[in-house]
Amino acid sequence: MTTKHEFFVDMTCEGCSGAVTRVLNKLGGVQFEIDLPNKKVFIESDKDTDVLLETLKKTGKAANYIGPNDLKDDHEEKRLTTVLLSCLHGPLE
Amino acid sequence: MTTKHEFFVDMTCEGCSGAVTRVLNKLGGVQFEIDLPNKKVFIESDKDTDVLLETLKKTGKAANYIGPNDLKDDHEEKRLTTVLLSCLHGPLE
């Protein structure tokens, strides 16, 4: 199971998300996605979350660790959607 | 004579200039002004310009050292203004 870590980073423009992209690429050993409108950064890495948070804080932006954001959540959500759809449409015959 | 150092920092919003403010305050031993529309940061410090530039680059933003920006330039500008005004109004009697 891969664990994604969810961080809040106070980004307000493309320049801000670009800066976060550059510090994370410089750190290396990370895969990440940035959700600028919601000020979230999702990072997959073997590195300690403290290291990831310190790296994000280097940008001078306010940053917090929110918590793990497991990839299995996506599967769980899809499963629930399937269950809901089967409730709406009735069981398959 | 106090020397100000002029840097280019690729800032695009208040969030960007706020980030630069925080990294410089964290470094300490600096006095600075930020010109957001012109993407300039003017720093007075005894620290080496390489240290100042590395600090600015920590933000993940593109940054360059432009050069010294002497405070005496301000005085020179004021002196020229005085000269020009005395040309317009004639010498004092």
Side-chain angles (χ1 to χ4, degrees), chain A residues 12-13 15-16 18-19 22-23 58-62, chain B residues 12-13 15-16 18-19 22-23 58-62:
Chain A
T12 47
C13 72
C16 298
R22 281 183 289 273
V23 295
K58 273 186 187 172
T59 61
K61 299 184 183 302
Chain B
T12 47
C13 73
C16 298
R22 281 183 288 273
V23 295
K58 273 186 188 172
T59 59
K61 299 184 183 301

Side-chain angles (χ1 to χ4, degrees), chain A residues 38-56:
Chain A
N38 293 308
K39 303 185 176 199
K40 297 281 179 66
V41 179
F42 300 95
I43 308 177
E44 282 179 64
S45 178
D46 292 334
K47 294 182 194 289
D48 197 89
T49 53
D50 286 347
V51 173
L52 300 174
L53 185 59
E54 281 313 303
T55 300
L56 292 169

Side-chain angles (χ1 to χ4, degrees), chain B:
Chain B
M1 191 186 77
T2 313
T3 300
K4 266 192 196 176
H5 298 289
E6 186 176 345
F7 294 87
F8 164 84
V9 183
D10 194 10
M11 302 170 288
T12 47
C13 73
E14 297 285 336
C16 298
S17 57
V20 170
T21 299
R22 281 183 288 273
V23 295
L24 287 176
N25 282 335
K26 193 178 173 192
L27 176 69
V30 293
Q31 281 196 300
F32 59 93
E33 289 166 37
I34 297 179
D35 177 350
L36 177 57
N38 293 309
K39 303 185 175 198
K40 297 282 178 67
V41 180
F42 301 94
I43 307 177
E44 282 179 65
S45 178
D46 292 334
K47 294 183 194 288
D48 197 272
T49 53
D50 286 346
V51 172
L52 299 174
L53 184 59
E54 282 312 304
T55 301
L56 292 170
K57 284 187 173 176
K58 273 186 188 172
T59 59
K61 299 184 183 301
N64 296 106
Y65 178 47
I66 294 172
N69 182 284
D70 293 345
L71 283 183
K72 85 171 166 59
D73 287 351
D74 289 348
H75 298 301
E76 188 65 14
E77 203 167 312
K78 277 183 195 136
R79 205 181 64 80
L80 279 170
T81 308
T82 310
V83 169
L84 280 167
L85 282 173
S86 85
C87 288
L88 287 168
H89 297 288
L92 291 173
E93 284 167 36

